[in-house]
Amino acid sequence: MNAFMRSILVAGVSVAMGAAPALAEGNLASNRTDLEIKIDTEKLQYSQTVFELETGKYYFLSVTSDGGDEVAWFAPELWRNSWVNQIVANDLEVKAFGIYSLEFDAAGTITVSFVPIRPGEYEFYSPGYEDKGLKGKFVVK
């Protein structure tokens, strides 16, 4: 099968499955949107509990803990449905294939840059503290 026939087959399968081709132009990272979550371990609350995101947009999420207690921050479904560019902590960058959680043993900020690729509602939470207020969600459209 030649390249032209393969492209027609792929286009036909995409249309039959209801998929639209992915189109992007330019540098997504040059148009980032900054997001921030502050974890207050004394009041057991996040500074924001609902975020509305769009697929295909580049986000720079900073998660900060006050260091009052050791705390983890989870958003596993968001990470499974996003392309993660990098994780930054103390000006050190990590290029990771995936993320499971961010953990804070002391006060500090961890920043994750990512692009959501699949719409849905994705919870974020701190295990063991969800019922006390440490939970929220990302709504990706």
Side-chain angles (χ1 to χ4, degrees):
M1 179 182 299
N2 65 31
F4 176 72
M5 292 301 291
R6 271 193 302 267
S7 67
I8 289 176
L9 178 62
V10 168
V13 169
S14 294
V15 170
M17 294 178 66
L23 303 173
E25 213 174 289
N27 180 359
L28 289 175
S30 68
N31 245 352
R32 79 180 197 207
T33 299
D34 292 336
L35 307 172
E36 181 178 43
I37 297 175
K38 292 182 180 178
I39 305 170
D40 184 328
T41 59
E42 185 177 320
K43 295 180 183 175
L44 293 176
Q45 66 185 24
Y46 294 134
S47 57
Q48 186 170 342
T49 57
V50 177
F51 292 87
E52 292 192 8
L53 310 179
E54 294 178 36
T55 58
K57 283 186 76 175
Y58 186 69
Y59 293 95
F60 205 77
L61 172 66
S62 295
V63 181
T64 301
S65 174
D66 60 14
D69 196 4
E70 290 185 21
V71 66
W73 185 85
F74 283 62
E77 293 302 316
L78 176 67
W79 304 135
R80 270 191 277 265
N81 291 288
S82 298
W83 171 76
V84 176
N85 180 38
Q86 67 182 6
I87 304 161
V88 179
N90 295 327
D91 296 322
L92 302 170
E93 298 177 5
V94 176
K95 305 290 186 177
F97 181 69
I99 303 172
Y100 183 68
S101 72
L102 307 178
E103 296 193 20
F104 298 88
D105 294 337
T109 300
I110 299 174
T111 304
V112 181
S113 57
F114 68 100
V115 177
I117 58 173
R118 187 172 295 134
E121 290 190 10
Y122 307 113
E123 292 183 349
F124 61 88
Y125 56 94
S126 292
Y129 297 100
E130 302 98 312
D131 294 338
K132 296 177 182 172
L134 288 183
K135 66 180 178 178
K137 69 180 172 179
F138 290 98
V139 179
V140 180
K141 296 178 181 180

